[in-house]
């Protein structure tokens, strides 16, 4: 099996009071951003092949949004989707909510125009590489990746990406 998946799991006893989903790369967005960035046809085609979404869940305690950005071989594509997802998550969260924005962003901080903007919006500093767990509105421990031994099942390494964990205090 191969595939890409997004999931937001809530601990037992925590209830969702609202959910929503945003398609990150609908045709109209791809056309506009492709023009703005001057993307070549092969990058446009790659981008169109995979539907990407951002899921959001609001609980009484916090709002969480999760995404998996496009891997269209141009950092700017995933960065445009990240800004779209962050704007969606910000609008979905109630004023004053603790907001966690997490997932495989498919853009690294050294190539992102969006990650510095998110710091201006009050989100925590991103860690290195493409997987992130950013928090706004509450103190949190620094995000960290799971070691390989924590994600082995029946002798097999689960996923090509280590989960990123952050504790919100």
């Amino acid at each position: 099996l191969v595939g890409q998946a997004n999931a937001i799991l809530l601990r037992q006893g925590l209830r969702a009071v609202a959910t929503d989903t945003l398609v990150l790369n609908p045709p109209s967005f791809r056309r506009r951003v492709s023009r703005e960035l001057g993307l070549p046809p092969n990058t446009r085609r790659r981008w169109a092949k995979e539907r990407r979404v951002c899921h959001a869940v609001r609980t009484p305690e916090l709002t969480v949004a999760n995404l998996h950005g496009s891997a269209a071989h141009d950092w700017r594509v995933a960065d445009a989707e990240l800004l779209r997802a962050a704007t969606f998550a910000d609008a979905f969260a109630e004023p004053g909510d603790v907001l966690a924005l997490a997932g495989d962003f498919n853009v690294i901080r050294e190539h992102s125009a969006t990650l510095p903007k998110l710091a201006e919006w009050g989100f925590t500093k991103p860690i290195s590489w493409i997987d992130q767990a950013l928090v706004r509105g509450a103190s949190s421990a620094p995000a960290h990746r799971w070691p390989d031994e924590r994600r082995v099942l029946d002798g097999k390494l689960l996923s090509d990406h280590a989960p990123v964990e952050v504790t919100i205090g």
Side-chain angles (χ1 to χ4, degrees):
L1 291 174
V2 296
Q4 316 274 323
N6 290 37
I8 298 173
L9 306 175
L10 300 177
R11 74 172 189 266
Q12 190 171 5
L14 194 60
R15 65 181 176 82
V17 296
T19 63
D20 203 356
T21 301
L22 175 74
V23 176
L24 294 177
N25 61 343
S28 60
F29 181 75
R30 290 194 321 266
R31 279 191 299 274
R32 180 179 60 78
V33 171
S34 292
R35 277 192 314 272
E36 289 172 1
L37 299 178
L39 296 178
N42 62 331
T43 301
R44 291 175 188 221
R45 283 190 296 277
R46 288 184 63 96
W47 192 12
K49 285 184 178 182
E50 293 184 4
R51 182 175 181 261
R52 298 299 179 148
V53 299
C54 179
H55 300 289
V57 174
R58 189 169 48 247
T59 74
E61 288 83 7
L62 81 151
T63 296
V64 177
N66 177 279
L67 68 129
H68 187 173
S70 290
H73 295 285
D74 188 317
W75 296 106
R76 299 172 303 163
V77 168
D79 203 42
E81 290 177 348
L82 175 57
L83 181 57
R84 182 171 164 83
T87 301
F88 161 72
D90 184 60
F92 178 74
E94 292 291 331
D97 276 3
V98 173
L99 176 57
L101 179 64
D104 177 348
F105 292 177
N106 265 326
V107 64
I108 60 174
R109 61 187 179 202
E110 293 82 3
H111 294 288
S112 176
T114 300
L115 286 168
K117 289 178 187 171
L118 297 183
E120 292 171 10
W121 294 6
F123 282 96
T124 53
K125 181 180 176 184
I127 60 174
S128 65
W129 208 233
I130 59 178
D131 301 303
Q132 299 292 337
L134 308 177
V135 177
R136 179 183 78 192
S139 62
S140 63
H144 65 278
R145 277 191 247 346
W146 285 11
D148 288 353
E149 57 273 8
R150 188 170 176 196
R151 58 190 182 106
V152 172
L153 180 65
D154 297 329
K156 293 183 181 179
L157 188 63
L158 301 176
S159 182
D160 61 338
H161 293 245
V164 174
E165 182 175 328
V166 66
T167 302
I168 300 172

